[in-house]
Amino acid sequence: MIDTETAMTMDFGISETRKMVEDMVRDFAEQHIRPNIMKWDESQEYPLEVFKQLGELGLMGVLVPEEYGGSGFSYTEYVAAITELSRVDPSIGLSMAAHNSLCTGHILQFGNEEQKKKWLPKLATAEWIGAWGLTEANTGSDAMRMRVTAEEDGDHYVLNGAKNWITHGITGDIAVVLARTGELLDSHGITAFVVERGTPGFTGGKKENKLGMRASETAEMIFDNCRVPKENILGEIGDGFIQAMKVLDGGRISIAALSLGTARGALDAAVKYSKEREQFGKPISSFQGVSFKLADMATEIEAAELLTYKAADIKNKGGKVTQAGAMAKLYASEVAVRVCNEAVQIFGGYGFTKDFPVEKFYRDVKLCTIGEGTSEIQKVVISKNLMK
């Protein structure tokens, strides 16, 4: 039995707004990102200025209503923007997605009017870069065992502990942090707090030395008797875990888009190379062994795109997106890994060197099957929905 959320229809036409966003992002990426890809990757530099420029274009507040300084676009344009960025450099797409869907998205979805007016304009313009803290060293998928605690003390809560694997954990100006205010394993024992950089007791920790996505900063956030005023609580005490799961529903669409862009970038490179590279007196694209690989890659990418935009369409219409988002994220990320693997194979020995783009896509893409819920967790989500 297929859930009604997957039975919603979608328009297969590409809107003028989506095309405008795609063209704008494509031009920006070619001019400001492509020339610096390997420099940022080798040095693990987080190119903050690029995100400030993306803020000027309205891409750091894609989903934020205009009244709060955002672009007021839908998930369709959001997916298009992430895809085009990731087609050139997935690590830039990843950071843009984390800022939009996690930190900014959490405040947009669960903040009160005063909180939205206070924080969203700074996030939407990239005056402030956002972080989102759920994961800890020993609690990845098992979030209800989190150890970061928040204890009430007068008009404040005092946070202690550390969050790990946080995008913008050092550079972020503001973070939405999930902390335990109740008993271990209590789904109503976790609360969401907004913590601004500069708050005493809030510091960045170790920066991870990663296989891929190296221009996207991933680091610890440490809380040592960090006093957060009660007005910085999002929603009600104890609602944090439920909020986080809803935020991740939308966030999975972001990772599907990231996967889609990465796969398209690898396919672009593989098609171009196969037409230029000659063996036995003719381009390798003329050999069935290569051309069939390209056909399979292109077909799977098209299927992933349909799932991704269907999930975005359901989100736009206010439907329940849990299953559609999980399906899109699962399939698109696994397809992207296969496509990048085949792209390296088509390049042969050159694909194993940093002089050609598929080497980086191959390293970057693995994060897509891990971030915002592993492929295994997506299967748990999908199967549970099927059994309802």
Side-chain angles (χ1 to χ4, degrees):
M1 182 75 179
I2 295 180
D3 193 285
T4 53
E5 68 176 307
T6 64
M8 298 179 75
T9 59
M10 64 178 287
D11 182 0
F12 286 91
I14 297 177
S15 70
E16 283 299 314
T17 307
R18 173 181 160 185
K19 188 175 186 310
M20 178 199 73
V21 169
E22 286 177 339
D23 290 344
M24 177 181 69
V25 176
R26 193 176 297 127
D27 291 344
F28 177 86
E30 289 298 329
Q31 184 178 348
H32 298 285
I33 297 174
R34 191 177 295 281
N36 301 297
I37 291 173
M38 291 313 295
K39 177 173 79 77
W40 295 336
D41 183 73
E42 294 285 355
S43 64
Q44 297 201 69
E45 175 186 347
Y46 174 69
L48 180 59
E49 184 54 37
V50 166
F51 295 97
K52 298 293 186 182
Q53 292 172 315
L54 288 173
E56 292 172 7
L57 293 176
L59 294 173
M60 297 298 272
V62 180
L63 303 168
V64 175
E66 292 181 23
E67 63 187 288
Y68 303 118
S71 298
F73 289 145
S74 74
Y75 257 77
T76 302
E77 290 76 36
Y78 179 46
V79 165
I82 296 172
T83 301
E84 290 302 323
L85 284 175
S86 305
R87 199 167 181 164
V88 175
D89 189 341
S91 58
I92 304 301
L94 174 62
S95 271
M96 180 269 203
H99 171 94
N100 274 282
S101 72
L102 298 180
C103 179
T104 305
H106 198 139
I107 295 170
L108 178 62
Q109 197 169 350
F110 296 104
N112 58 39
E113 192 61 23
E114 185 180 343
Q115 291 169 334
K116 290 178 184 179
K117 287 179 177 177
K118 180 178 181 182
W119 292 311
L120 288 180
K122 293 181 178 180
L123 286 162
T125 57
E127 179 184 345
W128 282 9
I129 299 296
W132 193 72
L134 175 66
T135 306
E136 298 177 9
N138 296 310
T139 58
S141 302
D142 190 11
M144 282 199 295
R145 293 183 192 273
M146 68 173 56
R147 299 291 180 181
V148 171
T149 59
E151 296 186 1
E152 189 174 9
D153 183 16
D155 293 332
H156 291 72
Y157 271 78
V158 181
L159 274 62
N160 280 288
K163 294 292 182 180
N164 295 70
W165 301 104
I166 309 304
T167 304
H168 311 144
I170 295 170
T171 302
D173 301 283
I174 185 172
V176 175
V177 181
L178 286 300
R180 190 158 52 81
T181 49
E183 296 300 315
L184 205 65
L185 300 179
D186 180 5
S187 63
H188 295 283
I190 294 169
T191 302
F193 298 87
V194 176
V195 188
E196 296 181 14
R197 188 70 65 182
T199 304
F202 174 32
T203 57
K206 175 191 174 187
K207 181 178 177 178
E208 301 296 340
N209 184 9
K210 298 177 297 181
L211 169 72
M213 300 289 191
R214 288 163 64 86
S216 177
E217 178 187 276
T218 305
E220 283 182 309
M221 293 193 303
I222 298 170
F223 303 92
D224 182 9
N225 292 320
C226 178
R227 294 176 62 81
V228 180
K230 287 183 176 178
E231 58 260 33
N232 285 26
I233 293 170
L234 294 175
E236 302 297 325
I237 293 290
D239 284 353
F241 182 78
I242 308 302
Q243 292 175 7
M245 294 304 103
K246 291 179 179 177
V247 169
L248 285 173
D249 279 349
R252 287 175 182 135
I253 301 174
S254 304
I255 303 300
L258 173 66
S259 304
L260 181 61
T262 306
R264 285 210 175 279
L267 177 62
D268 291 343
V271 168
K272 182 175 183 290
Y273 180 80
S274 73
K275 292 191 291 187
E276 295 171 350
R277 172 69 165 170
E278 290 192 359
Q279 290 287 272
F280 308 103
K282 51 187 175 180
I284 62 172
S285 59
S286 65
F287 297 111
Q288 201 173 77
V290 172
S291 63
F292 277 20
K293 283 183 187 296
L294 294 169
D296 286 340
M297 292 157 71
T299 302
E300 288 197 307
I301 289 171
E302 286 293 312
E305 183 175 271
L306 287 171
L307 278 172
T308 303
Y309 276 101
K310 179 174 183 177
D313 188 58
I314 293 170
K315 183 73 172 173
N316 289 339
K317 292 173 179 174
K320 190 170 182 292
V321 78
T322 303
Q323 182 167 316
M327 285 180 169
K329 197 272 185 187
L330 170 65
Y331 187 74
S333 64
E334 293 290 344
V335 161
V337 169
R338 289 195 293 273
V339 166
C340 291
N341 181 63
E342 291 287 43
V344 171
Q345 195 71 18
I346 289 169
F347 271 75
Y350 289 115
F352 206 64
T353 72
K354 293 182 182 293
D355 296 327
F356 290 84
V358 293
E359 180 270 346
K360 182 176 180 297
F361 284 125
Y362 186 73
R363 287 186 289 109
D364 286 345
V365 74
K366 189 56 195 168
L367 185 277
C368 296
T369 65
I370 299 170
E372 294 196 35
T374 63
S375 293
E376 291 73 23
I377 287 296
Q378 305 314 312
K379 291 178 182 179
V380 169
V381 172
I382 295 164
S383 59
K384 280 185 176 178
N385 273 271
L386 286 173
M387 300 306 155
K388 284 182 180 178

